[in-house]
Amino acid sequence: MKKTYLYSLASLVAVASLVSCKSKSGTSDKTGLAYNKKEYGGFQVNNKFKRGPGPGLVEIEGGVFVMSGSAISVPGEELSNYNHKRETTVSSFYMDETEVSNTNWLEYLNWIRTNYPTDYEYYYTELPDTLVWRSPLSYNEPYVDNYLRHPAYQDYPVVGVSWEQASRYCEWRTDRVNELLLREQGYMTSFKDLNGGTATGAAATANKTKEPFNSILYQNNQYDDKGKRAMKDLNPGAAATATPGSNSTAATRNVRLEDGILKQPYRLPTEAEWEYAALGLIGNTQYENISENKIYPWNGLGLSSAKKKTRGLILANFKRTKGDYMGVGGSLNDKGGLTVPVRSYLPNDFGLYNMAGNVNEWVADVYRSKTFEAADAFNPYRGNFYQDKKIADPATGKLEIDKHNRPVMVPAISARKQTWAEKQASSAATAQSGVDSLGKPLTQNTYADQRGYRDKASDLYGETTLITDKSRVYKGGSWDDQAIWLNPAARRFMQQDESTASLGFRCAMTMLGASEIRSFGKPQFKPKNQKAFNGRKR
């Protein structure tokens, strides 16, 4: 079957317009009141919403697959290297086209150094551990000194990064992407005006104090910076404030979630998402029929190309034998003694590079050998840790922030929506005491998967094994692994605060709205025209 990549750049706009869920009418079909009109109450509805991926991401259309269905049986291998085979459905989502590179991470470090020049602890904490290259019986000292910073390795995947560091990078990336979007589109003061010294008012104050942008605080109206194209507030009760550089006297406001402008948070992919994306079975699927299964992100049973022009070329960066990392001089097989650039080899049918080999990749899940025997069949994930934003001022709803201008998070107080009375009783003082309004520990509902409770009752995780609540899954195989680990079903674990020279990561993002990405050319139900129901003719 001829394989085609599912998502071409040229089709993104058309795709977004087809799948966006919105009310095309400017009038409520339930009350008859017009949207986006001040005289009707100023209720604003974005009826031109078009979704799309954030920078660096490609679209992954979800669907059903057999978790661990690609597992290959090797004599002597433990069954814990694979998941329990189970039919699983994954929602559509976005995923990084490549692994996060050294340049990407240096950009992060540069931002920290620029915005917090005297916070040496912050910078040091986010430095990758370059000492992971050291081995007592190997001369790897040049990589200790050069791998992260030298331009020879700028497009190579960052390593020596812990799960915790990778998660914080995702949070930082979310804020940078949203800030760029808001400033470039004029909802906030542009970077040119802000850094050129022409900003006025609150924007100038924020620039002077070097207050970093945070998406959550911005949506909570704790970041007052209105650009030339700031959103108009049509609420009749809104106070009229002039936008700097604009002749309009209409009231303006920050962009809200309802406007559909801000991107969803970047995050680590779940284990199910990662395995589904790595397999890329969509390239072998037609009318729900899978013509050929895979044991690697490419078709076939071999590890080298079968095409005439590239016959014999290795399809990933891995270790062929215990001592063969790159082949014979003059005819190198995978062309990499250690890692290789993040855009190496052929991408899989989703357009993702190096989903096998190069570096292993962190995923979001907490490791348990039997997770998928009990996990939900829809978007399975183990690792939920529910938190609430800590309120600094209950009267205004202002959030408490830490020294890096990020909202302070506390363990979730309740597993359900509280009544108004319960909410008022759960004051800041109560939260500090560690119990909720009913006197129950705040951590009671924090771990929804009950790890640390049922686990200890049966398998004694963390007491008789090395597996604890901080054990995180990684997948994909690396330059330092043999071919068995290239299978997307293979899984291992490491403590979330540890790192190695063969472990990196890539980010993901939740896709909102309809799961189908490409609907054109496919049979569709056509709902009757709304006007036919509103008119007299039926």
Side-chain angles (χ1 to χ4, degrees):
M1 177 183 294
K2 182 180 179 180
K3 294 187 291 184
T4 56
Y5 296 127
L6 180 61
Y7 315 107
S8 64
L9 186 60
S11 67
L12 288 182
V13 175
V15 170
S17 63
L18 284 170
V19 299
S20 58
C21 296
K22 56 183 177 289
S23 173
K24 293 183 179 180
S25 171
T27 304
S28 170
D29 61 348
K30 297 296 187 288
T31 65
L33 294 173
Y35 300 145
N36 306 316
K37 297 286 186 179
K38 189 172 184 178
E39 59 267 30
Y40 290 107
F43 176 55
Q44 293 175 268
V45 175
N46 179 7
N47 52 21
K48 296 182 180 179
F49 168 69
K50 294 181 180 180
R51 74 181 182 192
L57 302 172
V58 296
E59 294 162 308
I60 310 294
E61 184 169 284
V64 65
F65 81 117
V66 178
M67 192 79 180
S68 201
S70 63
I72 49 179
S73 178
V74 176
E77 288 292 335
E78 297 181 8
L79 294 178
S80 60
N81 291 339
Y82 302 103
N83 282 314
H84 174 77
K85 289 190 177 184
R86 182 178 178 183
E87 193 174 52
T88 301
T89 295
V90 174
S91 291
S92 297
F93 63 103
Y94 304 110
M95 196 169 190
D96 267 340
E97 182 183 25
T98 69
E99 300 139 338
V100 173
S101 71
N102 285 322
T103 297
N104 299 147
W105 198 270
L106 289 175
E107 180 186 10
Y108 178 33
L109 294 177
N110 179 73
W111 182 90
I112 295 173
R113 184 167 51 192
T114 301
N115 287 272
Y116 298 95
T118 60
D119 194 339
Y120 306 116
E121 180 184 0
Y122 187 13
Y123 185 86
Y124 181 82
T125 300
E126 299 309 314
L127 275 175
D129 182 6
T130 59
L131 298 182
V132 293
W133 289 107
R134 283 182 174 169
S135 179
L137 297 178
S138 180
Y139 180 63
N140 287 340
E141 208 63 19
Y143 307 127
V144 174
D145 298 331
N146 295 296
Y147 182 80
L148 174 63
R149 299 183 184 276
H150 197 281
Y153 299 107
Q154 61 184 5
D155 294 325
Y156 286 53
V158 67
V159 297
V161 173
S162 68
W163 183 94
E164 294 173 349
Q165 288 176 307
S167 297
R168 290 193 293 268
Y169 174 88
C170 292
E171 294 176 6
W172 169 84
R173 183 177 173 186
T174 301
D175 292 334
R176 303 291 70 76
V177 167
N178 279 330
E179 182 180 18
L180 176 65
L181 187 155
L182 293 172
R183 294 197 186 280
E184 290 299 300
Q185 295 190 18
Y187 299 111
M188 294 175 63
T189 304
S190 69
F191 278 114
K192 182 179 180 180
D193 291 340
L194 194 65
N195 296 322
T198 60
T200 59
T205 303
N207 186 42
K208 185 181 296 184
T209 58
K210 293 295 183 181
E211 179 181 287
F213 175 86
N214 180 273
S215 300
I216 296 175
L217 297 180
Y218 174 82
Q219 292 179 81
N220 200 51
N221 294 314
Q222 289 180 230
Y223 201 95
D224 187 13
D225 182 350
K226 309 294 194 305
K228 295 179 180 179
R229 293 182 60 243
M231 301 292 292
K232 292 181 180 180
D233 196 339
L234 301 180
N235 189 321
T241 56
T243 300
S246 173
N247 296 324
S248 174
T249 59
T252 57
R253 60 173 175 80
N254 285 355
V255 169
R256 299 169 182 158
L257 184 64
E258 296 92 322
D259 297 319
I261 294 172
L262 296 173
K263 297 298 182 184
Q264 288 294 297
Y266 285 83
R267 56 176 174 79
L268 292 175
T270 66
E271 184 176 1
E273 286 175 335
W274 195 99
E275 184 173 331
Y276 176 86
L279 273 176
L281 288 174
I282 200 163
N284 297 349
T285 303
Q286 188 174 19
Y287 302 112
E288 289 201 86
N289 296 313
I290 299 176
S291 60
E292 184 178 359
N293 280 311
K294 299 179 179 179
I295 59 173
Y296 302 113
W298 53 83
N299 285 330
L301 303 176
L303 298 165
S304 59
S305 174
K307 294 183 179 180
K308 185 176 181 180
K309 291 184 178 180
T310 56
R311 186 166 297 162
L313 294 183
I314 299 295
L315 293 169
N317 180 22
F318 66 101
K319 185 169 61 174
R320 287 201 299 185
T321 63
K322 292 183 178 180
D324 181 1
Y325 284 82
M326 60 182 178
V328 178
S331 185
L332 300 181
N333 55 52
D334 63 30
K335 299 177 174 57
L338 35 94
T339 59
V340 294
V342 294
R343 279 188 174 84
S344 298
Y345 312 106
L346 295 175
N348 73 356
D349 288 329
F350 278 123
L352 303 173
Y353 288 86
N354 291 306
M355 293 302 284
N358 210 22
V359 289
N360 288 289
E361 298 180 16
W362 286 114
V363 297
D365 293 59
V366 168
Y367 178 83
R368 291 293 187 270
S369 62
K370 299 179 180 179
T371 288
F372 289 86
E373 290 184 7
D376 288 353
F378 182 70
N379 290 334
Y381 168 66
R382 184 162 203 167
N384 283 310
F385 181 75
Y386 298 128
Q387 293 180 302
D388 296 330
K389 305 174 190 71
K390 188 174 182 181
I391 304 296
D393 185 354
T396 63
K398 185 177 181 180
L399 302 178
E400 185 171 324
I401 60 175
D402 62 16
K403 65 178 182 178
H404 298 138
N405 203 46
R406 297 175 301 204
V408 175
M409 307 299 290
V410 294
I413 294 176
S414 176
R416 60 171 178 81
K417 179 183 177 182
Q418 296 175 292
T419 65
W420 180 253
E422 289 173 338
K423 181 174 175 62
Q424 299 309 303
S426 300
S427 61
T430 305
Q432 289 287 354
S433 68
V435 296
D436 63 16
S437 59
L438 301 177
K440 297 180 181 179
L442 290 178
T443 56
Q444 181 177 358
N445 296 307
T446 299
Y447 288 105
D449 53 23
Q450 299 190 29
R451 61 180 184 271
Y453 170 65
R454 289 182 176 175
D455 288 336
K456 289 183 179 178
S458 57
D459 298 302
L460 298 176
Y461 284 113
E463 296 185 11
T464 61
T465 73
L466 296 176
I467 304 170
T468 71
D469 288 346
K470 293 187 175 181
S471 300
R472 299 285 175 171
V473 179
Y474 66 89
K475 297 169 76 73
S478 76
W479 62 272
D480 198 27
D481 291 315
Q482 291 187 256
I484 183 175
W485 298 109
L486 305 185
N487 177 242
R491 63 201 301 251
R492 287 174 284 185
F493 70 91
M494 184 182 291
Q495 297 304 93
Q496 65 185 39
D497 57 354
E498 296 179 347
S499 60
T500 72
S502 59
L503 181 54
F505 74 102
R506 73 180 74 208
C507 303
M509 179 185 287
T510 300
M511 182 186 294
L512 304 181
S515 295
E516 188 174 50
I517 293 175
R518 295 188 67 175
S519 57
F520 48 88
K522 299 177 182 177
Q524 303 287 331
F525 290 111
K526 294 183 179 180
K528 292 183 178 180
N529 194 315
Q530 183 68 33
K531 294 181 180 180
F533 288 93
N534 293 335
R536 293 185 177 181
K537 293 182 179 181
R538 300 288 177 106

